[in-house]
Amino acid sequence: MSDAEPGLRERKRRATRLAIQQAALRIAIEDGLQAVTVDEISRRADVSPRTFFNYFPNKEGALLGDDPTLPDDDARAAFVAGGPKGDLLADLGTLLVNATRELVEERGLIAERQQVLRAAPELFSRRMESMKEFQAEVERAVGERIAGQLPDPVALRRHARLAALVALAALRHAWWEWSDAAGDTHLVDELERSFAELDALVSRSLV
């Protein structure tokens, strides 16, 4: 695993967040979306409504789960400045690893969430919109990094969008591999592996 094992408090926080998501999805599957309320989610997850709101702003948030977002800190600044390795795609991989460290997921939730989203077009649309926002975040970060190399704004936009789409494709690949894998693998590790494989493809060193 790439990062250190979380402490007891962090494990409890993740377990509570996971329990809330599990409860919300199972209510939706078993009883329909109209049965999903904050009170019922809280009851099934064995938390108070106040605790629920410490984790999610509303019931839709619990159903949709967490979307990645770029870290607005030293990791993003290092990327924009040209680091940490000096290779755009490899550095994007590092940035996305930082973005996904806080994602709390359980393989068993993936199929349940997909089932709920297929039955709820409005939730599916919200998920797609949030992913578009994340893509725009990645594009902005890439654009800031390469702006000095591409003074033409059209070329800058095209290059930034292409790099973002390639990076997000690698993220999806890692997600699929992780969700399909047996054993105690971690999303961060799969993401690192996917970007290493992408680098091999790009450099034509794949055998």
Side-chain angles (χ1 to χ4, degrees), residues 71 73-86 91 94-95 98 141 145:
D73 56 11
D74 293 343
R76 189 184 189 283
F79 171 79
V80 170
K85 299 176 181 178
D91 292 345
T94 301
L95 191 64
N98 281 283
R145 173 167 168 152

Side-chain angles (χ1 to χ4, degrees), residues 170-183:
L171 176 59
R172 290 183 67 187
H173 177 264
W175 190 275
W176 286 333
E177 290 295 317
W178 174 74
S179 63
D180 290 342

Side-chain angles (χ1 to χ4, degrees), residues 3-167:
D3 52 340
E5 289 294 336
L8 178 60
R9 178 176 296 180
E10 177 63 14
R11 291 199 301 272
K12 288 182 176 179
R13 185 185 72 84
R14 293 184 182 184
T16 300
R17 195 175 186 88
L18 179 59
I20 291 170
Q21 293 179 73
Q22 286 174 327
L25 290 169
R26 287 170 189 172
I27 295 166
I29 291 170
E30 294 168 6
D31 304 317
L33 280 173
Q34 72 283 353
V36 181
T37 65
V38 171
D39 286 342
E40 182 61 13
I41 295 170
S42 301
R43 186 186 70 80
R44 291 215 195 180
D46 196 24
V47 299
S48 68
R50 180 176 180 180
T51 297
F52 173 94
F53 287 116
N54 287 335
Y55 289 88
F56 295 100
N58 48 47
K59 63 182 183 181
E60 290 82 8
L63 289 166
L64 289 168
D66 301 310
D67 287 318
T69 182
L70 290 187
D72 189 19
D73 56 11
D74 293 343
R76 189 184 189 283
F79 171 79
V80 170
K85 299 176 181 178
D87 179 270
L88 179 61
L89 285 179
D91 292 345
L92 260 178
T94 301
L95 191 64
L96 290 179
V97 165
N98 281 283
T100 56
R101 286 191 192 279
E102 284 301 306
L103 284 182
V104 178
E105 266 297 0
E106 172 75 24
R107 285 184 182 87
L109 289 185
I110 295 174
E112 293 181 351
R113 180 164 286 126
Q114 289 174 340
Q115 181 179 344
V116 171
L117 291 178
R118 282 195 298 268
E122 68 282 6
L123 289 178
F124 182 80
S125 295
R126 285 183 58 173
R127 169 53 60 87
M128 291 300 98
E129 188 61 35
S130 66
M131 292 309 296
K132 286 181 182 178
E133 291 172 4
F134 181 57
Q135 177 186 325
E137 278 191 82
V138 177
E139 285 184 30
R140 284 193 293 272
V142 174
E144 291 173 24
R145 173 167 168 152
I146 66 174
Q149 306 167 32
L150 293 169
D152 177 17
V154 174
L156 177 63
R157 177 189 58 78
R158 288 177 59 89
H159 281 68
R161 178 166 295 173
L162 178 59
L165 289 172
V166 170

